[in-house]
Amino acid sequence: MATKSLSLDEELICSVCCEIFKDPVLLACSHSFCRSCVQQYWEQKSSRECPVCRRRSSIEHPPPNLVLKNIIESYFKQKSQSEAAEKSELCCSVHGEKLLLFCEDDQEVLCVVCQTSKKHRNHQLCPVEEAALDIKEQLKTALKPLKEKLEKFNEAKKQCEETVKHIENQAQHTEKQIKEEFEKLHQFLRDEEEARLAALREEEEQKSQRMKEKTENISKHVTTLSDRIRDIEEDLNNEDTKFLMDPEVLSGVLIDVAKHLGSLSFRVWEKMLHIVTYTPVTLDPNTAHPKLSVSDDLTSVRDTGVKKQLPDNTERFYRCVNVLGSEGFTSGKHSWEVEVGNKPKWTVGVVKESINRKGNISYSPENGFWVVILRNGNEYKACSSPLKYLTLKKKPQRIRVQLDYDRRKVSFFNPTDMSHIYTFTDTFTEKLFPFFSPCLNEDGTNPGAMKICPVKVSVTVNEM
């Protein structure tokens, strides 16, 4: 018993003042200290760092550690009651008799003489042993909710630590993707720069060679003219104007600077359209069910059938294997195409922001879902009220979703021939998000990913 008490004493000691905590506070690093101790330590150090791990604190006034405070209070109460129980074996300071009784009214230990005094007359008395057992049971009862609360705090702390780790992984992966995308653009620009410099060098070489040939030709004419002049000087009557003509002046002999520099950045940007893509909807991986795998470019999603360890954040679907687009809409017209291929099961459409993401889902406009589904490879349904079975002339490989928020319509088409599939007409009262649900086959095999199709990007020059 003494060993356990000593161990508990050590656990409740502040590492700064080496005494039992007084008004304990909790730092972000999970270490606890007396409020006055940590404040004095920070004043001496002129910086807010943990006295144990030296981690800096961003909070000037750390929050109280209520769990630890309750434990300390319970500890002192238990210690006080334990000391009182031990004193029961002592003698009464007034009568010299053993303290064998406990007055429940006055919460005092008594001897057999004290019980006959006027002070304790008609009071409820019991043996000290019984009173001690009652107090211990009360302590156990009081300690249980504290332990449960401590367990919940530890679990919450663990979840927070796991979320922090996931955030770090997200940031590292996203940084890697950003660098790779920009490296592609940098490489394109380097290649384009080299190609244009090569074209410039080639033109320079061609035109320099042309001018060298012209210079050599002129030199020959100069030699011929010099010889002829000597002949003419010998015979002034022999005139020959052939060699007195001006040399031919060539056009286009200089570097075509305008060809190389004219609207250079625009021309390069125009060529970049062949290597960049644009999708009208980007998936939000923070909403994806743990069984879903979202591609690095956030344009496709598949059901892996294997549940990953991910934070159960508010946005994430928990029971149903769904994912949302990253951008919601509260007005205007919006459209996107989803490649569904030959998958036998899928769900696409739009949903309101406040849908149930943690429990079971019933697809209907009343629950905030305006979706079309395929089941069993050939059963197309519009999840209206009541459910409507659809008859399609041919199996679409893509589904085009058109949202006209202001006209209160969500329409679905086969983009191959723009044949109409179904249109919901309803009143929208909050933000709507694109909705996707890839499904495994009935035998548990993976039918492939659902992919948001890119749209063609073009450049138009408007003349003044």
Side-chain angles (χ1 to χ4, degrees):
M1 184 69 180
T3 303
K4 292 183 179 179
S5 177
L6 179 61
S7 175
L8 183 57
D9 286 346
E10 291 175 350
E11 291 295 326
L12 300 180
I13 287 178
C14 171
S15 59
V16 176
C17 66
C18 297
E19 295 181 0
I20 292 179
F21 290 105
K22 297 177 182 177
D23 190 13
V25 295
L26 180 66
L27 302 186
C29 57
S30 300
H31 290 122
S32 296
F33 307 90
C34 301
R35 183 180 298 278
S36 59
C37 291
V38 75
Q39 293 295 344
Q40 290 176 4
Y41 182 85
W42 285 352
E43 290 174 2
Q44 293 173 359
K45 284 286 186 178
S46 299
S47 65
R48 295 194 296 271
E49 64 180 24
C50 174
V52 176
C53 65
R54 299 295 187 269
R55 178 176 174 182
R56 292 184 62 83
S57 175
S58 60
I59 303 176
E60 182 177 359
H61 300 289
N65 190 334
L66 298 179
V67 175
L68 183 57
K69 182 179 179 181
N70 289 336
I71 292 175
I72 292 172
E73 290 178 354
S74 177
Y75 166 74
F76 277 118
K77 184 176 180 181
Q78 183 178 6
K79 185 176 181 181
S80 175
Q81 293 172 346
S82 177
E83 290 175 352
E86 290 178 0
K87 289 180 181 179
S88 64
E89 295 297 327
L90 300 178
C91 294
C92 176
S93 60
V94 178
H95 305 107
E97 299 292 334
K98 288 185 178 181
L99 301 173
L100 302 176
L101 301 173
F102 182 75
C103 177
E104 295 181 356
D105 296 311
D106 296 329
Q107 295 289 299
E108 294 180 8
V109 288
L110 310 174
C111 69
V112 293
V113 180
C114 291
Q115 70 172 324
T116 61
S117 66
K118 292 181 179 181
K119 179 180 178 182
H120 301 289
R121 187 176 298 170
N122 299 324
H123 283 186
Q124 187 69 36
L125 304 178
C126 69
V128 167
E129 293 80 4
E130 292 183 10
L133 289 175
D134 290 341
I135 293 174
K136 287 180 180 179
E137 288 300 322
Q138 292 174 9
L139 281 176
K140 288 181 181 179
T141 303
L143 192 59
K144 184 178 180 180
L146 291 177
K147 288 183 177 179
E148 292 176 351
K149 184 177 290 187
L150 179 60
E151 185 178 350
K152 290 181 180 179
F153 272 106
N154 287 332
E155 182 63 27
K157 178 184 174 184
K158 181 180 178 182
Q159 291 179 358
C160 289
E161 291 172 346
E162 291 175 351
T163 302
V164 168
K165 185 63 177 177
H166 182 71
I167 291 171
E168 291 175 353
N169 293 337
Q170 274 188 314
Q172 292 172 1
H173 183 71
T174 305
E175 179 181 350
K176 179 182 177 183
Q177 293 300 116
I178 291 173
K179 288 182 177 179
E180 289 178 355
E181 287 299 315
F182 273 93
E183 177 56 30
K184 292 178 183 178
L185 298 177
H186 293 160
Q187 187 59 47
F188 170 82
L189 293 174
R190 287 193 291 267
D191 293 343
E192 187 66 18
E193 177 187 13
E194 183 58 35
R196 290 181 177 273
L197 290 176
L200 174 61
R201 288 192 290 268
E202 182 180 0
E203 183 178 355
E204 177 191 12
E205 183 178 350
Q206 290 176 351
K207 292 189 174 180
S208 295
Q209 182 64 30
R210 184 178 178 186
M211 292 308 298
K212 288 179 182 178
E213 293 174 356
K214 181 63 177 177
T215 300
E216 291 176 359
N217 188 34
I218 291 175
S219 297
K220 292 179 181 179
H221 281 285
V222 168
T223 301
T224 303
L225 284 174
S226 298
D227 293 341
R228 194 62 183 160
I229 288 172
R230 284 196 299 271
D231 293 340
I232 292 174
E233 288 176 344
E234 293 176 359
D235 188 0
L236 295 176
N237 293 325
N238 186 9
E239 298 182 357
D240 190 347
T241 61
K242 176 180 177 181
F243 298 103
L244 298 180
M245 296 176 60
D246 292 333
E248 179 184 0
V249 179
L250 299 178
S251 64
V253 297
L254 301 181
I255 296 294
D256 190 352
V257 177
K259 180 182 73 174
H260 296 287
L261 296 182
S263 300
L264 177 59
S265 57
F266 174 80
R267 300 302 177 192
V268 174
W269 177 59
E270 192 176 30
K271 288 187 68 175
M272 287 181 68
L273 294 178
H274 299 292
I275 68 168
V276 299
T277 58
Y278 170 76
T279 53
V281 171
T282 301
L283 299 176
D284 183 357
N286 293 334
T287 66
H289 185 277
K291 286 185 179 180
L292 294 181
S293 175
V294 179
S295 63
D296 288 338
D297 61 1
L298 308 180
T299 62
S300 65
V301 59
R302 68 174 65 238
D303 186 348
T304 64
V306 179
K307 199 170 185 178
K308 300 186 291 293
Q309 291 296 324
L310 296 174
D312 186 19
N313 48 297
T314 305
E315 304 88 349
R316 193 178 305 281
F317 286 95
Y318 181 73
R319 288 188 178 273
C320 298
V321 187
N322 307 323
V323 64
L324 300 182
S326 61
E327 182 182 1
F329 311 111
T330 56
S331 63
K333 296 180 180 180
H334 311 274
S335 65
W336 56 93
E337 293 182 10
V338 185
E339 184 176 321
V340 294
N342 292 313
K343 286 182 282 296
K345 296 173 65 177
W346 47 256
T347 305
V348 296
V350 299
V351 299
K352 65 181 182 180
E353 186 174 19
S354 62
I355 58 170
N356 178 17
R357 306 190 188 193
K358 303 302 180 183
N360 293 323
I361 292 176
S362 176
Y363 294 148
S364 68
E366 289 79 6
N367 293 324
F369 291 82
W370 295 269
V371 298
V372 168
I373 66 175
L374 170 64
R375 296 294 183 267
N376 302 320
N378 57 5
E379 293 180 3
Y380 294 92
K381 307 172 188 177
C383 294
S384 56
S385 295
L387 188 70
K388 182 177 179 59
Y389 284 81
L390 305 174
T391 302
L392 305 185
K393 293 182 179 179
K394 59 181 179 179
K395 184 182 182 72
Q397 299 295 300
R398 294 182 177 185
I399 299 295
R400 181 181 180 87
V401 184
Q402 290 188 179
L403 167 64
D404 191 335
Y405 194 102
D406 301 324
R407 292 189 176 183
R408 305 178 294 114
K409 290 184 178 182
V410 182
S411 300
F412 299 84
F413 299 89
N414 182 347
T416 302
D417 55 6
M418 286 307 293
S419 56
H420 180 251
I421 297 176
Y422 190 78
T423 293
F424 291 93
T425 301
D426 208 336
T427 300
F428 308 132
T429 58
E430 58 182 270
K431 186 178 292 187
L432 301 183
F433 285 84
F435 177 83
F436 310 88
S437 181
C439 305
L440 292 177
N441 292 331
E442 297 297 338
D443 58 2
T445 58
N446 194 318
M450 293 178 67
K451 182 176 178 62
I452 302 168
C453 303
V455 298
K456 185 176 181 180
V457 181
S458 62
V459 177
T460 302
V461 179
N462 295 324
E463 297 183 359
M464 299 296 290

